[in-house]
């Protein structure tokens, strides 16, 4: 037997079966950096009497802009990306190496479900992979790319990831979209069930991208900021004394991000709850996680936004990131849907996670901090090291006279006294500062300087 000819034949089979997914890996990683693991894996699906070249998954390690990563890529061209026990064992080996070598993981997901005919064995295999992914949570950064149709338990890998990116046209669902649509009494196309836009409350979508190159740039930017992969403080030539006079005239959330973060370092992610923007970046060369509330009249929170923020606080804690809140929020939405939801539980879970955060904590009230919005995101007693407020910010129990009148409508309160107490001139930050709850009242244009000075002082 010509062993070299056999090797070449089998290699050709493997490369042919994984042609598309290998192109995706090549677009994601540095040129010639991918090294495959367990490449010559073959098993047979007895139900379909077909061979699964490479077990329907391509695993290995590579670099993204010089940062090492492990990659587990489901291959939709082999038995529709069907998950098998052998497939799971191959992914598990990849995750074990990532854990051993403290290296980030990237999942490329493309699977219509389990391979028929394996029974409970494949469920044990999936349990081993998902269990390992859960143990890696907070130990190494995990990224997922939804690269096709992903149904069944493979969708849980998207939930396990810290950041999940959807390619245009991709679909993710725990069950078949046809089944979900039918049981909902509707006849919807699959993208209306599990597309990125349809999952706007799932907390599963970091961003939808046109191509893998876009996702590569996002992953690289995140790895560049994380102290896990890079230094917490870098000399990047950023202007430490930068002033932004335009903020004094009109301070929007976008303008604030542009003014505060070092140029080209801010990464905003998460398509759900856009009123609670999550940002990773550097301020004066220092890695920072920030929540920027964005709403014209103050963000109103619900279960989705609070879960999003709590997850981000947890992430900051895992990777030693200082945490900054840019506050413009009125607290919880006052509607029936929010009242009959897990919103209050989610608020308390956020408080639990924030209490455990040992990193620097800074709050900047740039517009409104009203009621629960103040308690959660600006209160000194919540554990903030420094609290700053813009000169034109509003810190109050209620958002104006009408709110106070509604709250006390059954108390026979003196409306004239309420009007005086909650007039705009009595809701400015001076009244919080005089009791020591606000450390400094600042002009918006100088906010970056104050943040850099505070971060430098608080870094461990």
């Amino acid at each position: 037997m010509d062993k070299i000819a056999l090797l070449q034949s089998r290699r050709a089979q493997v490369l042919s079966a994984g042609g598309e997914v290998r192109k995706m890996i090549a677009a994601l990683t540095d040129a010639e950096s991918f090294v495959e693991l367990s490449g010559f894996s073959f098993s047979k699906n007895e139900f379909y009497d077909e061979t699964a070249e490479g077990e329907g998954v391509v695993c290995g390690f590579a670099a993204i802009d010089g940062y090492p990563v492990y990659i587990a890529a489901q291959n939709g061209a082999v038995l529709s990306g069907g998950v098998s026990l052998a497939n799971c064992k191959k992914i598990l080996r990849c995750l074990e190496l990532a854990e051993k070598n403290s290296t980030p993981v990237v999942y490329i997901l493309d699977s219509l479900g389990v391979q028929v005919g394996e029974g409970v064995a494949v469920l044990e295999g999936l349990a081993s992979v998902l269990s390992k992914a859960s143990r890696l949570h907070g130990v190494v950064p995990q990224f997922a790319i939804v690269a096709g149709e992903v149904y069944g338990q493979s969708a849980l890998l998207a939930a396990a990831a810290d950041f999940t990116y959807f390619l245009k046209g991709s679909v993710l669902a725990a069950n078949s979209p046809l089944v979900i649509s039918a049981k909902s009494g509707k006849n919807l196309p699959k993208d209306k069930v599990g597309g990125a836009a349809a999952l706007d409350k799932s907390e599963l979508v970091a961003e939808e991208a046109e191509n893998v190159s876009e996702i590569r740039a996002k992953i690289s930017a995140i790895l560049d900021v994380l102290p896990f992969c890079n230094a917490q403080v870098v000399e990047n030539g950023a202007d430490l004394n930068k002033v932004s006079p335009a903020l004094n005239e009109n301070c929007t959330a976008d303008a604030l991000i542009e003014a505060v973060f070092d140029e080209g370092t801010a990464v905003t992610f998460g398509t759900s709850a856009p009123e609670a923007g999550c940002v990773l970046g550097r301020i004066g060369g220092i890695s920072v996680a920030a929540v920027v509330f964005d709403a014209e009249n103050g963000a109103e929170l619900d279960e989705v936004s609070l879960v999003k923020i709590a997850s981000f606080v947890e992430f900051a804690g895992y990777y030693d990131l200082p945490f900054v809140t840019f506050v413009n929020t009125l607290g919880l939405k006052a509607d029936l849907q929010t009242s009959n939801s897990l919103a209050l539980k989610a608020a308390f879970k956020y408080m639990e996670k924030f209490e455990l955060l040992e990193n620097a904590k800074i709050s900047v009230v740039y517009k409104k901090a009203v009621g629960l919005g103040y308690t959660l995101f600006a209160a000194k007693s919540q554990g903030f090291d420094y609290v700053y407020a813009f000169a034109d910010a509003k810190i109050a129990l209620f958002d104006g006279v009408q709110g106070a009148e509604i709250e006390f409508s059954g108390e026979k309160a003196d409306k004239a006294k309420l009007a005086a107490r909650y007039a705009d001139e009595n809701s400015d930050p001076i009244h919080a500062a005089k009791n020591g709850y606000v450390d400094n009242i600042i002009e918006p244009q100088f906010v970056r300087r104050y943040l850099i000075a505070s971060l430098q002082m608080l870094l461990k």
Side-chain angles (χ1 to χ4, degrees), residues 1-28:
M1 179 184 294
D2 187 340
K3 295 293 182 69
I4 292 179
L6 179 61
L7 170 65
Q8 291 173 339
S9 173
R10 283 208 154 180
R11 182 62 179 165
Q13 283 180 266
V14 170
L15 293 176
S16 174
E20 288 305 311
V21 74
R22 290 172 194 279
K23 287 179 184 176
M24 195 171 297
I25 292 171
L28 180 69

mmCIF file of all heavy atoms in Angstrom, residues 1-28:
data_model
loop_
_atom_site.group_PDB
_atom_site.id
_atom_site.type_symbol
_atom_site.label_atom_id
_atom_site.label_comp_id
_atom_site.label_asym_id
_atom_site.label_seq_id
_atom_site.Cartn_x
_atom_site.Cartn_y
_atom_site.Cartn_z
ATOM 1 N N MET A 1 0.844 -1.198 0.000
ATOM 2 C CA MET A 1 0.000 0.000 0.000
ATOM 3 C C MET A 1 0.875 1.243 0.000
ATOM 4 O O MET A 1 1.825 1.343 0.772
ATOM 5 C CB MET A 1 -0.908 0.001 1.236
ATOM 6 C CG MET A 1 -1.795 1.242 1.320
ATOM 7 S SD MET A 1 -2.776 1.272 2.830
ATOM 8 C CE MET A 1 -3.853 -0.139 2.543
ATOM 9 N N ASP A 2 0.571 2.145 -0.881
ATOM 10 C CA ASP A 2 1.313 3.409 -0.952
ATOM 11 C C ASP A 2 0.746 4.373 0.087
ATOM 12 O O ASP A 2 -0.294 4.989 -0.111
ATOM 13 C CB ASP A 2 1.174 4.001 -2.361
ATOM 14 C CG ASP A 2 2.062 5.228 -2.554
ATOM 15 O OD1 ASP A 2 2.467 5.836 -1.545
ATOM 16 O OD2 ASP A 2 2.313 5.588 -3.719
ATOM 17 N N LYS A 3 1.433 4.466 1.250
ATOM 18 C CA LYS A 3 0.933 5.273 2.363
ATOM 19 C C LYS A 3 0.889 6.758 2.010
ATOM 20 O O LYS A 3 0.012 7.485 2.461
ATOM 21 C CB LYS A 3 1.816 5.062 3.598
ATOM 22 C CG LYS A 3 1.772 3.651 4.164
ATOM 23 C CD LYS A 3 0.397 3.359 4.734
ATOM 24 C CE LYS A 3 0.333 1.979 5.363
ATOM 25 N NZ LYS A 3 1.125 1.864 6.594
ATOM 26 N N ILE A 4 1.837 7.217 1.221
ATOM 27 C CA ILE A 4 1.849 8.628 0.848
ATOM 28 C C ILE A 4 0.648 8.947 -0.048
ATOM 29 O O ILE A 4 -0.017 9.971 0.126
ATOM 30 C CB ILE A 4 3.170 8.993 0.149
ATOM 31 C CG1 ILE A 4 4.327 8.914 1.149
ATOM 32 C CG2 ILE A 4 3.081 10.395 -0.463
ATOM 33 C CD1 ILE A 4 5.675 9.219 0.573
ATOM 34 N N ALA A 5 0.364 8.032 -0.975
ATOM 35 C CA ALA A 5 -0.795 8.228 -1.847
ATOM 36 C C ALA A 5 -2.084 8.214 -1.042
ATOM 37 O O ALA A 5 -3.005 9.009 -1.295
ATOM 38 C CB ALA A 5 -0.832 7.138 -2.918
ATOM 39 N N LEU A 6 -2.158 7.324 -0.025
ATOM 40 C CA LEU A 6 -3.340 7.262 0.831
ATOM 41 C C LEU A 6 -3.501 8.563 1.613
ATOM 42 O O LEU A 6 -4.607 9.105 1.736
ATOM 43 C CB LEU A 6 -3.221 6.075 1.791
ATOM 44 C CG LEU A 6 -4.383 5.898 2.782
ATOM 45 C CD1 LEU A 6 -5.697 5.670 2.050
ATOM 46 C CD2 LEU A 6 -4.089 4.742 3.740
ATOM 47 N N LEU A 7 -2.380 9.076 2.144
ATOM 48 C CA LEU A 7 -2.404 10.337 2.876
ATOM 49 C C LEU A 7 -2.911 11.461 1.979
ATOM 50 O O LEU A 7 -3.776 12.256 2.379
ATOM 51 C CB LEU A 7 -1.003 10.665 3.395
ATOM 52 C CG LEU A 7 -0.815 12.066 3.987
ATOM 53 C CD1 LEU A 7 -1.660 12.234 5.239
ATOM 54 C CD2 LEU A 7 0.651 12.332 4.294
ATOM 55 N N GLN A 8 -2.377 11.509 0.778
ATOM 56 C CA GLN A 8 -2.779 12.569 -0.144
ATOM 57 C C GLN A 8 -4.257 12.459 -0.506
ATOM 58 O O GLN A 8 -4.964 13.473 -0.603
ATOM 59 C CB GLN A 8 -1.919 12.495 -1.413
ATOM 60 C CG GLN A 8 -0.460 12.872 -1.170
ATOM 61 C CD GLN A 8 0.405 12.621 -2.388
ATOM 62 O OE1 GLN A 8 0.045 11.833 -3.275
ATOM 63 N NE2 GLN A 8 1.563 13.279 -2.446
ATOM 64 N N SER A 9 -4.743 11.242 -0.658
ATOM 65 C CA SER A 9 -6.145 11.031 -0.992
ATOM 66 C C SER A 9 -7.060 11.480 0.137
ATOM 67 O O SER A 9 -8.050 12.174 -0.084
ATOM 68 C CB SER A 9 -6.387 9.546 -1.296
ATOM 69 O OG SER A 9 -7.768 9.286 -1.467
ATOM 70 N N ARG A 10 -6.673 11.070 1.339
ATOM 71 C CA ARG A 10 -7.500 11.449 2.484
ATOM 72 C C ARG A 10 -7.440 12.950 2.734
ATOM 73 O O ARG A 10 -8.438 13.574 3.099
ATOM 74 C CB ARG A 10 -7.055 10.681 3.727
ATOM 75 C CG ARG A 10 -7.543 9.236 3.738
ATOM 76 C CD ARG A 10 -7.707 8.730 5.155
ATOM 77 N NE ARG A 10 -8.684 7.659 5.219
ATOM 78 C CZ ARG A 10 -9.028 7.039 6.342
ATOM 79 N NH1 ARG A 10 -8.462 7.401 7.482
ATOM 80 N NH2 ARG A 10 -9.912 6.074 6.337
ATOM 81 N N ARG A 11 -6.264 13.515 2.560
ATOM 82 C CA ARG A 11 -6.127 14.949 2.740
ATOM 83 C C ARG A 11 -7.007 15.707 1.740
ATOM 84 O O ARG A 11 -7.653 16.706 2.076
ATOM 85 C CB ARG A 11 -4.662 15.363 2.571
ATOM 86 C CG ARG A 11 -4.376 16.846 2.792
ATOM 87 C CD ARG A 11 -4.704 17.248 4.187
ATOM 88 N NE ARG A 11 -4.421 18.650 4.457
ATOM 89 C CZ ARG A 11 -4.877 19.315 5.501
ATOM 90 N NH1 ARG A 11 -5.645 18.710 6.392
ATOM 91 N NH2 ARG A 11 -4.583 20.583 5.681
ATOM 92 N N ALA A 12 -7.036 15.203 0.509
ATOM 93 C CA ALA A 12 -7.867 15.825 -0.517
ATOM 94 C C ALA A 12 -9.348 15.755 -0.139
ATOM 95 O O ALA A 12 -10.110 16.710 -0.349
ATOM 96 C CB ALA A 12 -7.634 15.152 -1.864
ATOM 97 N N GLN A 13 -9.765 14.615 0.457
ATOM 98 C CA GLN A 13 -11.150 14.466 0.891
ATOM 99 C C GLN A 13 -11.496 15.485 1.975
ATOM 100 O O GLN A 13 -12.541 16.130 1.944
ATOM 101 C CB GLN A 13 -11.379 13.048 1.444
ATOM 102 C CG GLN A 13 -11.525 11.971 0.397
ATOM 103 C CD GLN A 13 -11.741 10.622 1.056
ATOM 104 O OE1 GLN A 13 -10.793 9.868 1.273
ATOM 105 N NE2 GLN A 13 -12.971 10.335 1.406
ATOM 106 N N VAL A 14 -10.598 15.603 2.947
ATOM 107 C CA VAL A 14 -10.827 16.517 4.061
ATOM 108 C C VAL A 14 -10.912 17.959 3.563
ATOM 109 O O VAL A 14 -11.810 18.719 3.939
ATOM 110 C CB VAL A 14 -9.709 16.374 5.122
ATOM 111 C CG1 VAL A 14 -9.803 17.490 6.147
ATOM 112 C CG2 VAL A 14 -9.795 15.013 5.797
ATOM 113 N N LEU A 15 -9.967 18.349 2.703
ATOM 114 C CA LEU A 15 -9.950 19.721 2.195
ATOM 115 C C LEU A 15 -11.168 20.014 1.330
ATOM 116 O O LEU A 15 -11.728 21.110 1.376
ATOM 117 C CB LEU A 15 -8.669 19.975 1.402
ATOM 118 C CG LEU A 15 -7.363 19.974 2.217
ATOM 119 C CD1 LEU A 15 -6.167 20.145 1.295
ATOM 120 C CD2 LEU A 15 -7.382 21.078 3.270
ATOM 121 N N SER A 16 -11.567 19.020 0.553
ATOM 122 C CA SER A 16 -12.724 19.200 -0.318
ATOM 123 C C SER A 16 -13.999 19.379 0.513
ATOM 124 O O SER A 16 -14.824 20.260 0.239
ATOM 125 C CB SER A 16 -12.876 18.003 -1.250
ATOM 126 O OG SER A 16 -14.071 18.108 -2.006
ATOM 127 N N ALA A 17 -14.146 18.551 1.550
ATOM 128 C CA ALA A 17 -15.351 18.612 2.381
ATOM 129 C C ALA A 17 -15.424 19.906 3.171
ATOM 130 O O ALA A 17 -16.511 20.405 3.473
ATOM 131 C CB ALA A 17 -15.390 17.414 3.335
ATOM 132 N N GLY A 18 -14.263 20.468 3.513
ATOM 133 C CA GLY A 18 -14.254 21.674 4.344
ATOM 134 C C GLY A 18 -13.843 22.922 3.609
ATOM 135 O O GLY A 18 -13.360 23.873 4.229
ATOM 136 N N GLY A 19 -14.053 22.946 2.300
ATOM 137 C CA GLY A 19 -13.576 24.068 1.496
ATOM 138 C C GLY A 19 -14.109 25.407 1.940
ATOM 139 O O GLY A 19 -13.353 26.366 2.145
ATOM 140 N N GLU A 20 -15.416 25.527 2.139
ATOM 141 C CA GLU A 20 -16.024 26.814 2.476
ATOM 142 C C GLU A 20 -15.657 27.273 3.883
ATOM 143 O O GLU A 20 -15.352 28.438 4.108
ATOM 144 C CB GLU A 20 -17.548 26.736 2.326
ATOM 145 C CG GLU A 20 -18.023 26.672 0.887
ATOM 146 C CD GLU A 20 -17.503 27.832 0.053
ATOM 147 O OE1 GLU A 20 -17.629 28.997 0.497
ATOM 148 O OE2 GLU A 20 -16.966 27.591 -1.039
ATOM 149 N N VAL A 21 -15.705 26.343 4.824
ATOM 150 C CA VAL A 21 -15.401 26.740 6.202
ATOM 151 C C VAL A 21 -13.926 27.107 6.340
ATOM 152 O O VAL A 21 -13.554 27.985 7.127
ATOM 153 C CB VAL A 21 -15.807 25.624 7.201
ATOM 154 C CG1 VAL A 21 -14.852 24.442 7.160
ATOM 155 C CG2 VAL A 21 -15.864 26.185 8.616
ATOM 156 N N ARG A 22 -13.061 26.487 5.554
ATOM 157 C CA ARG A 22 -11.636 26.834 5.598
ATOM 158 C C ARG A 22 -11.395 28.235 5.009
ATOM 159 O O ARG A 22 -10.509 28.961 5.461
ATOM 160 C CB ARG A 22 -10.813 25.781 4.862
ATOM 161 C CG ARG A 22 -10.755 24.455 5.597
ATOM 162 C CD ARG A 22 -10.105 23.348 4.778
ATOM 163 N NE ARG A 22 -10.380 22.073 5.386
ATOM 164 C CZ ARG A 22 -9.713 21.570 6.424
ATOM 165 N NH1 ARG A 22 -8.702 22.254 6.945
ATOM 166 N NH2 ARG A 22 -10.015 20.403 6.944
ATOM 167 N N LYS A 23 -12.173 28.602 4.008
ATOM 168 C CA LYS A 23 -12.082 29.967 3.480
ATOM 169 C C LYS A 23 -12.473 30.976 4.560
ATOM 170 O O LYS A 23 -11.879 32.041 4.679
ATOM 171 C CB LYS A 23 -13.005 30.124 2.265
ATOM 172 C CG LYS A 23 -12.521 29.424 1.001
ATOM 173 C CD LYS A 23 -13.525 29.639 -0.126
ATOM 174 C CE LYS A 23 -13.126 28.866 -1.380
ATOM 175 N NZ LYS A 23 -14.151 28.998 -2.449
ATOM 176 N N MET A 24 -13.480 30.608 5.337
ATOM 177 C CA MET A 24 -13.934 31.491 6.405
ATOM 178 C C MET A 24 -12.845 31.636 7.474
ATOM 179 O O MET A 24 -12.573 32.740 7.966
ATOM 180 C CB MET A 24 -15.217 30.928 7.017
ATOM 181 C CG MET A 24 -15.970 31.906 7.884
ATOM 182 S SD MET A 24 -17.598 31.255 8.369
ATOM 183 C CE MET A 24 -18.380 31.114 6.766
ATOM 184 N N ILE A 25 -12.220 30.527 7.837
ATOM 185 C CA ILE A 25 -11.135 30.554 8.819
ATOM 186 C C ILE A 25 -9.976 31.399 8.290
ATOM 187 O O ILE A 25 -9.370 32.187 9.026
ATOM 188 C CB ILE A 25 -10.673 29.121 9.161
ATOM 189 C CG1 ILE A 25 -11.773 28.377 9.927
ATOM 190 C CG2 ILE A 25 -9.382 29.145 9.988
ATOM 191 C CD1 ILE A 25 -11.503 26.896 10.117
ATOM 192 N N ALA A 26 -9.678 31.261 7.014
ATOM 193 C CA ALA A 26 -8.589 32.034 6.411
ATOM 194 C C ALA A 26 -8.883 33.534 6.452
ATOM 195 O O ALA A 26 -7.990 34.353 6.697
ATOM 196 C CB ALA A 26 -8.347 31.576 4.970
ATOM 197 N N ALA A 27 -10.152 33.904 6.222
ATOM 198 C CA ALA A 27 -10.526 35.326 6.266
ATOM 199 C C ALA A 27 -10.494 35.872 7.685
ATOM 200 O O ALA A 27 -10.278 37.060 7.907
ATOM 201 C CB ALA A 27 -11.921 35.511 5.659
ATOM 202 N N LEU A 28 -10.702 34.991 8.649
ATOM 203 C CA LEU A 28 -10.747 35.403 10.054
ATOM 204 C C LEU A 28 -9.360 35.555 10.669
ATOM 205 O O LEU A 28 -9.159 36.393 11.555
ATOM 206 C CB LEU A 28 -11.552 34.370 10.854
ATOM 207 C CG LEU A 28 -11.721 34.604 12.349
ATOM 208 C CD1 LEU A 28 -12.616 35.807 12.609
ATOM 209 C CD2 LEU A 28 -12.311 33.354 13.019
#
